[in-house]
Amino acid sequence: MTATTNKAQLAYDFIKQRIVSGRYTPGYRLVLATIATELGMSVVPVREAIRRLEAERLVTFQRNVGAQVAMLDEREYLHTMQTLALLEGYATALSAPLVTPGRLRRAREVNERMRDSLTQFRPHEFTRQNFEFHSLLFESCPNPHVLDLVHRGWDRLANLRDSTFSFVPGRAHESVDEHERLLRLIERGADADTIERAAREHRTHTLDAFLAHQGAQLLDD
């Protein structure tokens, strides 16, 4: 591996981490010279990193504007959330009988941290905790193919970069309450259909809140 390739990987990791963490927000202009100076390298490896990120649809490039962090792709988000609602609901239902008391306890602890964080709301941190909560409930899924598809759905959401909670922070309060309901269903040994429906509706409620917000924005414009 050449020095330029190493530097391109470093630049790629640096920029992607800032996009995923929310430090570089949608529409943020990526000035190659500035990033190169910050990393102590030439613009050549930074340009290569930008091209990789553009191929992953995390970055867009426009003539006379340059490279920018991609805006949220509403259609891609819609399709990903609809698919994940089905897959994760099923995975959670299959996983439920295998979730240990220790995992349930940890999930509730995560949910309480989420509840506590609502007073000083940070959408990207909330999203990270949200994944931690849900993974504790679906990771015991005995079907590896279903579990792989769930992970792909979450990865696709991460590549879309932005939490719905950034757009609809009020949804976070409802989400925490729904988490507690889901925990109680699993604790009392509710049937698989009930758990699957609760997990699926939890996901679709988030999507519905986002779509309602987008519709309201269009009316205001």
Side-chain angles (χ1 to χ4, degrees):
M1 186 177 289
T2 66
T4 300
T5 303
N6 282 331
K7 288 181 178 179
Q9 183 65 46
L10 177 65
Y12 170 85
D13 292 339
F14 175 83
I15 298 167
K16 185 171 184 177
Q17 191 280 328
R18 291 193 168 199
I19 292 174
V20 173
S21 70
R23 184 163 179 178
Y24 289 168
T25 56
Y28 182 90
R29 189 178 173 209
L30 300 166
V31 181
L32 274 63
T34 301
I35 295 171
T37 299
E38 192 169 355
L39 292 174
M41 61 178 67
S42 73
V43 297
V44 174
V46 176
R47 186 177 293 112
E48 185 177 330
I50 291 294
R51 285 174 181 153
R52 282 182 62 188
L53 292 164
E54 187 178 4
E56 295 176 10
R57 298 197 297 181
L58 292 178
V59 169
T60 58
F61 189 88
Q62 291 181 303
R63 189 182 298 275
N64 300 324
V65 176
Q68 292 179 300
V69 177
M71 301 299 287
L72 180 65
D73 185 331
E74 183 175 328
R75 181 175 296 179
E76 180 70 13
Y77 179 79
L78 169 65
H79 293 163
T80 299
M81 287 288 280
Q82 288 174 333
T83 303
L84 191 55
L86 294 170
L87 291 168
E88 190 179 346
Y90 185 52
T92 302
L94 291 178
S95 179
L98 304 174
V99 176
T100 64
R103 273 184 173 266
L104 285 171
R105 183 173 62 254
R106 285 162 56 197
R108 181 164 276 117
E109 289 170 355
V110 171
N111 201 43
E112 287 308 309
R113 289 202 303 271
M114 294 174 74
R115 192 184 303 279
D116 292 342
S117 73
L118 292 173
T119 54
Q120 294 183 319
F121 188 59
R122 295 187 293 273
H124 296 281
E125 176 63 18
F126 191 90
T127 296
R128 186 193 65 77
Q129 293 175 330
N130 189 48
F131 172 71
E132 184 180 357
F133 173 86
H134 284 286
S135 65
L136 285 166
L137 301 187
F138 66 64
E139 284 291 350
S140 297
C141 176
N143 186 320
H145 300 294
V146 171
L147 189 57
D148 177 63
L149 291 170
V150 172
H151 280 292
R152 291 188 192 189
W154 276 95
D155 288 345
R156 195 168 293 116
L157 285 181
N159 283 340
L160 288 168
R161 294 163 346 287
D162 239 279
S163 161
T164 309
F165 305 115
S166 300
F167 298 93
V168 198
R171 168 63 188 149
H173 292 264
E174 298 171 356
S175 183
V176 169
D177 291 338
E178 290 168 11
H179 285 175
E180 179 59 31
R181 176 173 177 262
L182 190 54
L183 287 173
R184 290 176 180 171
L185 288 173
I186 295 173
E187 283 174 329
R188 74 166 190 249
D191 63 84
D193 287 345
T194 300
I195 293 171
E196 181 177 354
R197 184 169 59 253
R200 184 176 66 249
E201 289 177 350
H202 170 65
R203 176 71 53 194
T204 56
H205 287 166
T206 299
L207 175 59
D208 290 345
F210 172 76
L211 294 176
H213 171 79
Q214 294 298 87
Q217 290 292 101
L218 289 174
L219 290 174
D220 290 340
D221 289 344

